[in-house]
Amino acid sequence: MNSNLSKIKIAIQSLIEINSKEWEYYSAMFNTRQYKKKEVLLQSGKICDNIFFIDKGLLRIFFMDKDGNESTFYFSQENDFAVDYESFLNRTPSNYTIEAMEDTQVVLMSYKMVVDGYKKLRSGEKLGRLLSEKYFIIFSRKIQNIYTKTPYERYELMNAQFPNIRQRVPQHYIASYLNISSVHLSRLINKKN
Amino acid sequence: MNSNLSKIKIAIQSLIEINSKEWEYYSAMFNTRQYKKKEVLLQSGKICDNIFFIDKGLLRIFFMDKDGNESTFYFSQENDFAVDYESFLNRTPSNYTIEAMEDTQVVLMSYKMVVDGYKKLRSGEKLGRLLSEKYFIIFSRKIQNIYTKTPYERYELMNAQFPNIRQRVPQHYIASYLNISSVHLSRLINKKN
């Protein structure tokens, strides 16, 4: 087996049962790809054709707000997935851009492959359900955090969800993720330390 | 067949194939219930045990923001579903309250029933996937609307998504849904008319 697929195999096996014959069939459809730091994996306006599984590296998912400013939505680290799932499901232009924050190695699950899996894998629909639930929970928490958490609470939640993110990402992206100014972020960091 | 189930049958058949034997088995697990205007179907802090399908009437889903103000998240009308799906899936206390805006008749799909359906219906996992995708899309659009749309654009989207909502719901709930003040809403309405 391609050694780059060992982590995604574990990730998928944590969601569904997949036997060796199914894995042989399914895993032949994966592609792997390397991206350099700052390279774009998905450009907003394009249809998102792949779910990216991060084997190594770090991705940032962002969109443009109504004032034309970048708003960082999510960071995807090793063993996590990255996708504009609405664009992926509905085959509509993406609202998000996905870019590499570090040199990053990903495994690509194409739309065709995922739809094929719904039919061909015994638990393909379950895999789709669990991936969908995973994205639903991310978005649900994001909304709750926007409305119900203070900036300091959001900062604490970010540190719990993305350990070491402050060492891996420039500070202005952290501020953008928290929806606060860089000055406000500095005050929060000083409060913590 | 209980005539109250005819609409939910159509809604489910629009998502999956379900044969008469499966429907006989599955539909026996539904409950139906009537709520008076202002009655609460789900109280925040409780685990959400049911997906509510609205046969007749109108529900409002809201939560408390960090300043202790009610924030209206969504309106569920006839033939739509209402649920705190994160609480429902994860069996955690709900962040949302669901209340009847009018005398409302609902069909209840319990958590137990949905999980049973994953196993017993041929397309049970697919039904779960499609319901999850539906909620994901609602939350995805909500986030996009918060960040990328002006209040007037949000107002136009609301009128498209919930026709006649302005005739069915007091104005302060509309303002709360749009995340603007009642004064701001009045200006938007005057701009439109």
Side-chain angles (χ1 to χ4, degrees):
Chain A
M1 187 176 76
N2 183 333
S3 68
N4 294 338
L5 299 182
S6 58
K7 285 185 194 159
I8 194 169
K9 187 176 185 184
I10 292 168
I12 288 177
Q13 282 177 325
S14 76
L15 299 172
I16 59 165
E17 277 184 48
I18 183 162
N19 66 29
S20 54
K21 206 174 172 105
E22 286 178 310
W23 179 253
E24 198 182 328
Y25 169 78
Y26 203 55
S27 63
M29 289 188 276
F30 288 123
N31 282 304
T32 57
R33 206 168 149 189
Q34 316 262 357
Y35 291 90
K36 288 276 171 210
K37 183 175 175 173
K38 295 192 178 173
E39 243 189 296
V40 167
L41 289 76
L42 170 70
Q43 180 64 56
S44 68
K46 305 274 186 192
I47 292 173
C48 181
D49 274 323
N50 293 287
I51 299 175
F52 303 99
F53 175 82
I54 296 90
D55 197 49
K56 188 172 171 298
L58 180 65
L59 302 178
R60 180 173 79 98
I61 305 177
F62 66 91
F63 59 89
M64 290 294 171
D65 72 15
K66 58 180 167 291
D67 304 317
N69 300 316
E70 269 185 20
S71 182
T72 298
F73 183 73
Y74 194 74
F75 300 106
S76 287
Q77 295 171 303
E78 289 85 1
N79 298 311
D80 198 0
F81 296 89
V83 64
D84 178 338
Y85 207 53
E86 180 170 352
S87 167
F88 182 84
L89 290 173
N90 290 349
R91 321 306 297 146
T92 49
S94 178
N95 291 310
Y96 296 85
T97 297
I98 303 179
E99 74 167 4
M101 290 278 93
E102 302 171 352
D103 292 353
T104 299
Q105 182 168 300
V106 297
V107 181
L108 284 76
M109 293 175 74
S110 70
Y111 178 74
K112 202 176 149 198
M113 174 180 181
V114 171
V115 170
D116 181 86
Y118 293 157
K119 299 192 184 87
K120 304 276 177 64
L121 300 181
R122 288 168 308 154
S123 298
E125 287 285 359
K126 182 176 180 181
L127 179 61
R129 172 171 68 81
L130 294 174
L131 285 174
S132 179
E133 288 176 6
K134 181 183 158 59
Y135 276 92
F136 168 77
I137 298 291
I138 290 171
F139 278 64
S140 174
R141 300 230 168 117
K142 189 85 183 182
I143 288 179
Q144 284 296 315
N145 290 351
I146 293 168
Y147 282 107
T148 69
K149 305 296 183 194
T150 64
Y152 189 68
E153 287 168 335
R154 295 203 294 271
Y155 176 71
E156 295 269 79
L157 286 166
M158 179 195 72
N159 286 316
Q161 188 175 6
F162 307 111
N164 304 320
I165 196 71
R166 278 180 49 212
Q167 284 75 57
R168 295 177 73 176
V169 166
Q171 193 138 320
H172 64 283
Y173 293 140
I174 305 275
S176 155
Y177 173 80
L178 296 170
N179 206 21
I180 59 178
S181 69
S182 291
V183 174
H184 194 161
L185 176 60
S186 298
R187 281 206 303 272
L188 292 186
I189 292 170
N190 290 334
K191 181 176 169 185
K192 190 179 168 71
N193 293 338
Chain B
M1 186 175 76
N2 184 332
S3 68
N4 294 339
L5 298 182
S6 58
K7 285 186 194 159
I8 194 169
K9 187 176 186 185
I10 292 168
I12 288 178
Q13 281 177 324
S14 76
L15 299 173
I16 60 166
E17 278 184 47
I18 184 162
N19 65 29
S20 55
K21 204 171 174 108
E22 285 178 310
W23 179 253
E24 199 182 327
Y25 169 78
Y26 203 56
S27 63
M29 291 188 275
F30 287 122
N31 281 304
T32 57
R33 202 166 152 189
Q34 315 261 358
Y35 290 90
K36 289 276 173 209
K37 182 175 176 172
K38 295 191 178 175
E39 243 189 297
V40 168
L41 289 78
L42 170 70
Q43 181 64 54
S44 68
K46 306 274 187 193
I47 293 174
C48 180
D49 275 323
N50 294 287
I51 299 175
F52 302 99
F53 175 82
I54 296 90
D55 196 50
K56 187 172 170 299
L58 179 65
L59 303 178
R60 180 173 78 98
I61 306 177
F62 65 92
F63 59 89
M64 291 293 170
D65 71 16
K66 57 181 168 290
D67 304 317
N69 299 316
E70 269 186 18
S71 181
T72 297
F73 183 73
Y74 193 74
F75 299 107
S76 288
Q77 295 172 303
E78 289 84 2
N79 297 311
D80 198 1
F81 296 88
V83 63
D84 177 338
Y85 207 53
E86 179 169 354
S87 167
F88 182 84
L89 290 174
N90 290 349
R91 320 307 296 148
T92 49
S94 179
N95 291 310
Y96 297 85
T97 297
I98 303 180
E99 73 166 5
M101 290 278 94
E102 302 171 353
D103 292 353
T104 300
Q105 181 168 299
V106 297
V107 182
L108 284 76
M109 293 175 75
S110 70
Y111 178 74
K112 203 177 149 198
M113 173 181 181
V114 171
V115 171
D116 182 85
Y118 294 158
K119 299 190 185 88
K120 303 274 178 64
L121 299 180
R122 289 168 308 153
S123 298
E125 287 284 359
K126 182 176 180 180
L127 179 60
R129 172 171 69 80
L130 294 175
L131 285 174
S132 179
E133 288 176 5
K134 180 182 159 58
Y135 276 92
F136 168 77
I137 298 290
I138 289 170
F139 279 64
S140 173
R141 300 228 169 119
K142 189 86 183 180
I143 288 179
Q144 284 297 314
N145 290 351
I146 294 168
Y147 282 106
T148 71
K149 306 295 184 194
T150 65
Y152 188 68
E153 287 168 334
R154 295 204 293 273
Y155 176 72
E156 296 268 77
L157 286 166
M158 179 194 72
N159 286 317
Q161 188 175 7
F162 307 111
N164 303 320
I165 195 72
R166 279 181 48 212
Q167 284 75 56
R168 295 177 73 177
V169 165
Q171 194 140 318
H172 63 284
Y173 292 141
I174 305 275
S176 156
Y177 173 80
L178 296 170
N179 205 21
I180 59 179
S181 69
S182 290
V183 175
H184 193 162
L185 176 60
S186 297
R187 282 205 303 271
L188 291 186
I189 292 169
N190 291 333
K191 182 176 169 186
K192 190 178 168 72
N193 293 340

